Amino acid sequence: MLKALLPLALAISAIPAFANPIAARAVPAGFSITSISPSGTGCPPSSVFYVLNAGGTAFSIIFSEFSAEAGPGASAGSDTKTCTLNLGVNIPAGYRFTLEAVDSRAFYHLDSQVKASREFAYSFSGSTGTGTTSSEVSGPLQGDFAHTDAFDDAGPSPCGGSTTLNLVSKISVDNTANTSGMGFVAIDAMDSNAALDTRFRWEAC
Ligand SMILES: *[C@@H]1O[C@H](CO)[C@@H](O)[C@H](O)[C@H]1NC(C)=O
């Protein structure tokens, strides 16, 4: 089970606005996120806090163990971590959506020539709509950064009805260009928050 549901006011004050917002769009009446189930090496359920907004139309997730590392002393298999979020969604009749972008906040510590990448992919149960996006940064780099990763090949959800949105996140660190260097990346938080900016793109169908 998830640790807790935070009240909305706490969630908003705890999660700063992200840079480069994509223009907000109205959410059609009747849309709601009904459940969020995390699984994977990067997000065992006890390591994740999530909150839905009051209308259940947007979510924020805070991770405490979603980190990857490489370099001298790093344990085997720790260079890549994944997290799958299965979101139950009710889609109003006559509407469908694509996932426009994922906002995330990540901490990096990368030595020279050490790279960290993040990849996101989504799919729906019951439709062929999918999307992927990936980005890479290279050291030297240290600090917290806000990212907006847009899906440029986004496909739509089913038209109306209840379905599951499967969002897979993957982070990895690669030090093959500098095997004496180390790297660490951690995703701290991820949003799809209509109270801040909507990352679902809606259309009639
Ligand atoms: C590899 O990383 C180490 C540790 O930061 C640094 O001292 C060294 O200059 C780096 N080597 C290269 C080729 O960038």
Side-chain angles (χ1 to χ4, degrees):
M1 281 302 295
L2 301 174
K3 269 181 188 165
L5 283 175
L6 306 177
L8 179 65
L10 176 57
I12 286 178
S13 64
I15 298 171
F18 290 96
N20 307 318
I22 292 170
R25 290 175 179 80
V27 178
F31 172 67
S32 62
I33 300 166
T34 54
S35 62
I36 299 181
S37 303
S39 62
T41 54
C43 62
S46 64
S47 71
V48 172
F49 286 96
Y50 80 84
V51 61
L52 294 172
N53 70 352
T57 59
F59 66 91
S60 299
I61 296 182
I62 298 170
F63 301 97
S64 60
E65 293 180 20
F66 197 5
S67 63
E69 61 183 343
S75 50
S78 60
D79 61 336
T80 297
K81 295 284 177 65
T82 61
C83 175
T84 298
L85 300 170
N86 298 121
L87 292 90
V89 293
N90 283 333
I91 303 170
Y95 288 94
R96 65 185 184 186
F97 69 91
T98 55
L99 197 56
E100 194 162 46
V102 170
D103 290 327
S104 62
R105 192 150 36 87
F107 173 81
Y108 297 90
H109 182 132
L110 302 174
D111 284 339
S112 175
Q113 313 228 10
V114 178
K115 294 179 215 157
S117 64
R118 51 184 195 281
E119 293 174 36
F120 301 98
Y122 76 83
S123 61
F124 296 96
S125 303
S127 99
T128 55
T130 58
T132 56
T133 179
S134 62
S135 307
E136 188 176 83
V137 294
S138 198
L141 185 68
Q142 173 148 11
D144 261 303
F145 296 87
H147 301 293
T148 296
D149 290 314
F151 294 97
D152 50 14
D153 52 355
S157 72
C159 187
S162 295
T163 187
T164 304
L165 166 60
N166 310 296
L167 175 62
V168 181
S169 308
K170 177 174 159 184
I171 54 173
S172 51
V173 178
D174 177 0
N175 76 332
T176 51
N178 180 2
T179 51
S180 65
M182 64 82 63
F184 175 87
V185 58
I187 290 192
D188 303 323
M190 193 187 290
D191 258 33
S192 167
N193 197 333
L196 302 174
D197 38 58
T198 296
R199 305 296 170 160
F200 294 127
R201 185 172 63 239
W202 287 96
E203 60 188 16
C205 54

